[in-house]
Amino acid sequence: MKQKNELLSKNQQLVFELIEKANEPLKAYSILSSVQKKGIKAPLQVYRALNKLMEIGKIHKIESKNAFVACKNNDCKISKASAFYICENCEDISEVNNFKLTKYLSSFKANNEMKVSKYNLEFFGICKNCQIK
Amino acid sequence: MKQKNELLSKNQQLVFELIEKANEPLKAYSILSSVQKKGIKAPLQVYRALNKLMEIGKIHKIESKNAFVACKNNDCKISKASAFYICENCEDISEVNNFKLTKYLSSFKANNEMKVSKYNLEFFGICKNCQIK
DNA sequence: TTGTAAATGTTATATTATAACATTATTAAA
DNA sequence: TTTAATAATGTTATAATATAACATTTACAA
Ligand SMILES: [Zn+2]
Ligand SMILES: [Zn+2]
Ligand SMILES: [Zn+2]
Ligand SMILES: [Zn+2]
């Protein structure tokens, strides 16, 4: 059986590999400049790959930073539920992997409002590492 | 005693009034074109007002839309905790006002990670109104 | 093999946001 | 009430992020 990675097209794979190897969120135009040696020439090629990768849950967009990270959480059930810690000091970003939180938010319904089909949550604070210093 | 509104500067007040009266999130450049009759001429003047208004919790940014709404939730304790419902069908956006959720997220701490000082949550789904149709 | 969906390539342009610098208003001490 | 600090404003230019539009190619199943 094929691995998920192999299902990616050429551009999608180039972009995904870069994001996956990075240890920080990457911006679209920074991705572009990195993959230009490998044939991708225009912003749109990057954005199309990014959109597809988000759709299938392999990456997430950190909305408050306009940056992209690889999913560390088993592709987040096709990207329906994502949550992040964002350190306001060192800018380190890590994906929250907490079953209780996922369950709580996925089933959240207040005041007869909408049924949630997807959510994105961004926590801000000072990370463990920065607290020590 | 002065009302909170009166503490706003001229540009801040112009921008805030517009956002408060709107029944949908407003984009920065749409705000700009609306306030141009009233003397604001440049994007930066709008962005500065927006930043200040966010800082004091009178408005929030819907990160996934790059749009701004007035806080419907008693200024969200100086904008430290915000959550929204976003209808994927009609684009209607409403602020969640749910004490339990606020408490749960404000005190959320998993796996010895960071202490949360602020968060933003965006729920996506189909709103009550669109479900009926 | 032929039709369809997905992906790509390319140019141009739209949208969102900040840099840099000069000036003016508002406050709160001295 | 001068003075010094802080906040707000005005202005021009430019950076950064993202999509429109259209032509072409690839993948792949009916
Ligand atoms: Zn994930
Ligand atoms: Zn940190
Ligand atoms: Zn609020
Ligand atoms: Zn709706």
Side-chain angles (χ1 to χ4, degrees), chain A residues 17-26 68-70 72 90-94:
Chain A
E17 276 171 17
L18 195 70
I19 294 173
E20 199 184 30
K21 280 172 193 151
N23 49 10
E24 60 183 1
L26 297 183
F68 303 85
V69 293
K72 294 284 161 49
C90 70
E91 296 280 305
D92 180 69
I93 294 184
S94 60

Side-chain angles (χ1 to χ4, degrees), chain B residues 87 89-92 127 130:
Chain B
C87 178
N89 186 242
C90 71
E91 296 281 305
D92 180 68
C127 77
C130 288

